[in-house]
Structures are given as structure tokens and as C-alpha cells.
Amino acid sequence: MCQPTMLCQEIALPLVYARVDLSTILSLERFQKRLHSAEQKWDSIRRIPYSTPGRWVQALELSKLAFTGQAEALQFDSILTSLFPLVPFLARLTLNPSFVLSRRALASLGERDEAVSLRSLQGISYVFGPMALWERDPFIGLLRNCIYLEELDVVGQGPDPAELEFNFQDAGDFPPESFKPLNLQRLKTLSLLSMFSSPLMMALLFSSLPSLRKLMLTPYDDIPYPSSLVSRFISVHGEMLQSLLLLTPKSWPTRLHPSPRTLLEISPHLRHLSLEQPIPALVLAGTHPLQILSIPRPTSDLWHALETLLLRLPELRVIRTRDVRWLRIGMNSRAQEAGVQGEMREWSKRLSRRGVRLLDADWSDARD
């Protein structure tokens, strides 16, 4: 009976450890100690140089860890700094962006030969320094070693540009003469929210991203280049995009900035465009293959602005209201016809005549 049990464990344990999902600091600490203890006992003469179960871990999901204070944040950072060298084949890392990784934690993650295993980094919080210190930016150093990265999701933690005074410098300063582009040939999905300019954005702007197909940014079109890099970023990397999502994370106070009017012209292969308030009056000389258009919420003024544009979008099949849901079944007709619900139903009728569906935030049709 012993041999079948051991065989089952040999098969099951790698699967159990392949994706680790932890929701508390205590469980993360226990996990790190378990891996550290196994590493200490590992015989260096073995055929495989990496200890188990650390070498089985491929995905580490930590987005459910709640931020409760600075002391816990420091503990979290210390645990990860010790943990990263113990998971050599880690491919996917997902964090809660409320936690900010220190320079030592980023170095622990990136300054390993096995950093090439990383395919996805999500929920990474980024506190960016002056552009002049880009060479010392630890996140740029991390990305230089993640040459097979396919997905990157970063949330900026700097001030809103409305709080800053700009000295509009000459664009000839970019990129710096000593800058060496990043090697991210496989990067397909990129999200840089709450970030108008940073050493990281500069490095990505001036690097070739031939596989990039999905891009999510916070718009800052009212701030000219090079003080803001967002609009230039879309222009440089928009050619082959299939999905462009513009979003301002909700905070207090929420400051909304305009978006470029030329989004469709500089992104000719888009299939999905998600717009942020204030909705730009998009310009388009010819037709465009856009299939899905997302807006925050429908209004009568927005309908008049879009009506002409719809004629130039022959392949459009869906308009999605990103911040609004249909009322649940059972609500009376007066509630369904009032306010934004009434506007949605009016839009739905008009769009149905054009063969376009109006979907809510859950991608659902109207509940009749």
C-alpha cells in the first residue's frame, strides 16, 4: 500500500504547487518557510539543482492579500525578497498594487538567471523617480532580464499632473544617448495605469514591441509631449493594436484628462476601443474595422456625437456601457424608462436598427 501512495504523491504534489493562491501574510510566511526549509535540506549533488517544492511553483497569486498598514507591507516585502530565489520557474506573479515592492525585492526577482521564466507580471505598483535617474530604475533593470515576458500590468503611484508644475523641455532630450532599448519581443498585453510619464514608460516607448496587441492606459492628452508620454505612446505602438482601453482608476478626487481625437487613425487595426470621460470627438477620414466600442455611460449628447461616426464603422457589432448595468428583472416599467436606464433602452432601439447590440458592464443584453 505504501508504493501506490508514494506514487500518487509524486504525481499530485507538483500539480498542487504549480499554482499557489494565498490570501494572508501568515499563509505567505508559512509557504516561504516551507520552501526555505526544503532548500536547506536539498542535496547539491542531486541531478536537479533546484529544490522541491520550490521548483514546481509556476504561478503565485497574491492579489487577495489586503493592505492593512506599513508594518505588514514591510513584512510582505521581506518575505517576497526571500521567496523569489526559491521559485526558479515562476512564470506568473500577481500582486495587490496596494503593496509597493522595494528595490531589494525587485532585484531578488529580476537578478536571477531564472528571471527568463517570467511570462506575466500583474498588479505591480510602481513609484517612479525623476526621468534623469532612469538608469537606476529597478523596474527597468527587472525588465531587461524578462526577455520572454508576455503580459505586464503596472499601476503608477506618482502624483497627478494637476499637482505639478511643468517646465516643458525640448523633446530632443529623448531618448537619452546612453539608452539601450528593452528586449520584449513577446510582450502582447501591456497596462500602465495612472502614469503620464516615468522612466519605465520612456523605456517602453523607445523599445520595439512587435507583439503588442492589447494596451491599457490612463489618458493625459492635455499635457504635451515630453511632459506626458501617453499620447505619443499610443501613436508609436498603435499600428498593430487590436484592443486599446483608456481608463482612469477611481480615486478621490478623480481627475479626468482628455484623450487624443485621432485614436482610430493611429490604430487602424483596432477591434475594441474603450473610451474614458471626457469622450473625444474622434476624427476618421475613411472607414475603420472597429467591432466593439466601450463608453462609460450613454447620454443624449454622446449619441449625437457618435451618430456620424457610426457610418464609418461598418463592422461595429457591440457598444458596451462600461459603468452601467441593466436593471434586474422584476423592476417596474417606470424605473426601466427613467434616467440612465431610459437612455440605455433608447440607445438599444436605435442601435438595433443598425445591427449593433448595446451591452452593459457585465457584457449582457437588456433584460426584458
Side-chain angles (χ1 to χ4, degrees):
M1 294 295 292
C2 184
Q3 283 188 334
T5 301
M6 293 179 61
L7 180 60
C8 289
Q9 288 183 343
E10 290 179 3
I11 296 173
L13 282 178
L15 298 177
V16 170
Y17 279 95
R19 184 182 186 278
V20 178
D21 190 338
L22 303 173
S23 58
T24 67
I25 291 291
L26 180 59
S27 60
L28 177 63
E29 185 176 32
R30 288 174 176 171
F31 177 67
Q32 184 271 331
K33 288 181 177 179
R34 167 75 178 89
L35 266 57
H36 178 73
S37 175
E39 176 72 16
Q40 294 298 106
K41 298 174 183 177
W42 193 252
D43 188 345
S44 60
I45 303 178
R46 292 175 187 249
R47 181 171 55 89
I48 300 175
Y50 305 108
S51 64
T52 59
R55 66 183 173 89
W56 294 332
V57 179
Q58 299 176 32
L60 187 57
E61 168 63 64
L62 303 176
S63 63
K64 300 184 185 69
L65 266 74
F67 180 87
T68 59
Q70 191 62 36
E72 189 174 58
L74 291 173
Q75 183 184 9
F76 175 80
D77 190 83
S78 296
I79 294 172
L80 288 187
T81 301
S82 301
L83 176 63
F84 289 144
L86 304 177
V87 286
F89 300 116
L90 182 67
R92 304 183 64 86
L93 175 64
T94 306
L95 304 178
N96 176 348
S98 297
F99 292 93
V100 179
L101 292 185
S102 67
R103 183 180 294 270
R104 62 171 185 161
L106 290 172
S108 176
L109 178 62
E111 294 180 1
R112 311 170 298 150
D113 293 338
E114 300 81 16
V116 295
S117 300
L118 286 167
R119 299 294 187 273
S120 174
L121 294 172
Q122 297 187 64
I124 309 298
S125 189
Y126 176 61
V127 179
F128 43 91
M131 192 69 75
L133 300 180
W134 68 270
E135 289 182 291
R136 302 178 189 175
D137 190 289
F139 210 89
I140 294 178
L142 168 65
L143 293 184
R144 290 202 184 280
N145 296 325
C146 301
I147 60 175
Y148 297 122
L149 196 67
E150 299 176 358
E151 184 176 18
L152 177 61
D153 170 22
V154 181
V155 180
Q157 299 294 339
D160 185 272
E163 303 171 9
L164 304 174
E165 292 185 5
F166 290 103
N167 177 21
F168 297 115
Q169 52 188 308
D170 188 291
D173 295 337
F174 290 110
E177 291 185 5
S178 58
F179 174 71
K180 180 181 178 182
L182 302 175
N183 181 11
L184 295 172
Q185 302 295 304
R186 300 191 183 188
L187 188 65
K188 300 175 182 177
T189 302
L190 174 63
S191 176
L192 301 173
L193 293 181
S194 297
M195 191 185 308
F196 63 95
S197 177
S198 70
L200 170 62
M201 182 174 276
M202 182 275 294
L204 290 167
L205 173 62
F206 292 107
S207 297
S208 175
L209 305 176
S211 299
L212 188 63
R213 296 297 180 268
K214 182 177 180 180
L215 177 63
M216 180 181 290
L217 297 169
T218 300
Y220 294 97
D221 197 52
D222 53 336
I223 303 172
Y225 176 85
S227 294
S228 170
L229 305 181
V230 175
S231 297
R232 180 64 64 91
F233 201 98
I234 299 173
S235 178
V236 169
H237 294 300
E239 176 70 22
M240 299 306 296
L241 288 180
Q242 295 180 356
S243 181
L244 174 59
L245 314 177
L246 300 179
L247 178 68
T248 302
K250 289 181 171 53
S251 60
W252 192 91
T254 299
R255 295 186 174 94
L256 298 171
H257 298 266
S259 305
R261 299 181 60 201
T262 56
L263 291 172
L264 294 176
E265 292 185 333
I266 60 182
S267 304
H269 300 288
L270 276 186
R271 293 296 183 266
H272 181 197
L273 173 62
S274 182
L275 297 173
E276 180 59 284
Q277 297 281 16
I279 302 295
L282 296 173
V283 295
L284 185 62
T287 60
H288 193 284
L290 191 71
Q291 297 177 355
I292 303 173
L293 177 64
S294 295
I295 58 174
R297 58 180 56 231
T299 65
S300 56
D301 290 342
L302 180 55
W303 173 261
H304 294 308
L306 288 180
E307 198 168 14
T308 303
L309 179 65
L310 293 178
L311 299 175
R312 299 184 181 277
L313 303 175
E315 297 184 36
L316 189 70
R317 294 295 176 264
V318 169
I319 290 183
R320 176 183 174 234
T321 59
R322 193 180 64 225
D323 297 340
V324 184
R325 291 177 175 81
W326 296 106
L327 285 179
R328 64 182 183 274
I329 297 175
M331 299 296 291
N332 62 48
S333 58
R334 180 173 297 181
Q336 293 178 357
E337 298 299 331
V340 69
Q341 291 293 317
E343 193 69 44
M344 288 180 69
R345 291 191 173 275
E346 183 61 32
W347 274 54
S348 184
K349 292 176 185 177
R350 293 173 181 174
L351 291 171
S352 64
R353 302 187 194 113
R354 303 170 182 260
V356 179
R357 299 163 61 197
L358 183 70
L359 305 183
D360 70 0
D362 297 325
W363 296 88
S364 300
D365 289 289
R367 301 179 177 92
D368 297 320

